[in-house]
Amino acid sequence: MNILIVSDIFGLNDSTDFISQFLSSLGHIKVFDPYETQKMHFSDEQQAYDYFTSIGGVNNYADKLICSLQLGEVVDFAIGFSVGGSALWQISSVMQKPLIKRQMCFYPNQVRHMTHLSPQCATTVLLPQSEQHFCVQTLAKNIQNKALVDVSFVEALHGFMNESSQYFNAVARQAWLDKIKDTVQGKN
């Protein structure tokens, strides 16, 4: 089983390490990040966001991701966080050949600018309770009727899976890691 983790604006950090380790019994884990495996040390989310946008933002991240995927084996299960989930949404909607079989996108807020796209693989979108800059219910309404897309709400806030986020929630992260494991093992 090939599993791909696509990081958020923080890139590689303790959370990507923790998630990789937790899922390692399921198969081969690869982590893709926007900083080409260089660990960054941001003081807060604003600094991380500013740097991420200065190097090209989501579109650049998606371009790098699709290039990487075209060089490797098909991904059985992809998990993206924030901009990572948005990049997965974008590339899975324009794939010329199947590169990803199934994906789970956690709080992919940039999808609100890509509602015209439709993923070509089974996609679960997990939206937080609320977002500061837009209405998550409107986003859900705009994408929930797409073929292959399942939308769910999480009782946590954007960033809850990442220790670097101010909204990190250890209990919610563990619950969702258990659900990911069950999903990959076919128990869901």
Side-chain angles (χ1 to χ4, degrees):
M1 168 91 40
N2 288 318
I3 300 171
L4 174 67
I5 297 169
V6 186
S7 79
D8 59 16
I9 58 175
F10 288 102
L12 301 179
N13 61 21
D14 290 344
S15 288
T16 55
D17 293 347
F18 180 86
I19 293 167
S20 297
Q21 180 61 37
F22 184 83
L23 299 176
S24 65
S25 66
L26 300 174
H28 178 262
I29 308 291
K30 179 181 177 185
V31 180
F32 189 84
D33 74 286
Y35 313 118
E36 300 175 14
T37 70
Q38 179 182 356
K39 282 199 174 187
M40 307 298 283
H41 302 282
F42 300 112
S43 59
D44 58 31
E45 288 180 63
Q46 189 61 53
Q47 184 188 36
Y49 179 77
D50 290 345
Y51 186 75
F52 176 79
T53 56
S54 78
I55 62 166
V58 174
N59 290 334
N60 184 54
Y61 195 26
D63 289 345
K64 287 180 180 181
L65 179 57
I66 201 162
C67 287
S68 174
L69 288 171
Q70 289 171 336
L71 299 174
E73 297 179 23
V74 171
V75 173
D76 296 303
F77 194 81
I79 307 159
F81 301 100
S82 190
V83 295
S86 298
L88 284 172
W89 176 276
Q90 185 174 345
I91 67 167
S92 68
S93 299
V94 297
M95 292 185 295
Q96 297 300 316
K97 64 177 186 170
L99 301 173
I100 301 169
K101 292 181 182 177
R102 186 172 184 180
Q103 62 190 10
M104 187 174 280
C105 304
F106 283 83
Y107 38 86
N109 61 359
Q110 295 301 313
V111 167
R112 72 185 188 275
H113 303 299
M114 300 181 254
T115 58
H116 61 286
L117 299 177
S118 296
Q120 297 175 31
C121 65
T123 301
T124 301
V125 175
L126 300 157
L127 297 173
Q129 293 171 324
S130 64
E131 286 279 4
Q132 183 177 0
H133 301 292
F134 69 97
C135 176
V136 291
Q137 288 78 16
T138 300
L139 174 56
K141 183 179 172 183
N142 289 335
I143 63 173
Q144 67 189 2
N145 292 323
K146 292 181 178 290
L148 303 176
V149 174
D150 178 48
V151 179
S152 294
F153 285 92
V154 177
E155 292 193 26
L157 297 173
H158 187 115
F160 77 90
M161 295 288 284
N162 191 333
E163 295 168 42
S164 297
S165 171
Q166 65 181 344
Y167 299 115
F168 173 64
N169 181 322
V171 173
R173 177 176 76 177
Q174 190 58 53
W176 276 99
L177 286 175
D178 291 338
K179 288 179 185 181
I180 290 169
K181 208 171 214 183
D182 288 347
T183 299
V184 171
Q185 293 174 329
K187 295 178 183 176
N188 258 358

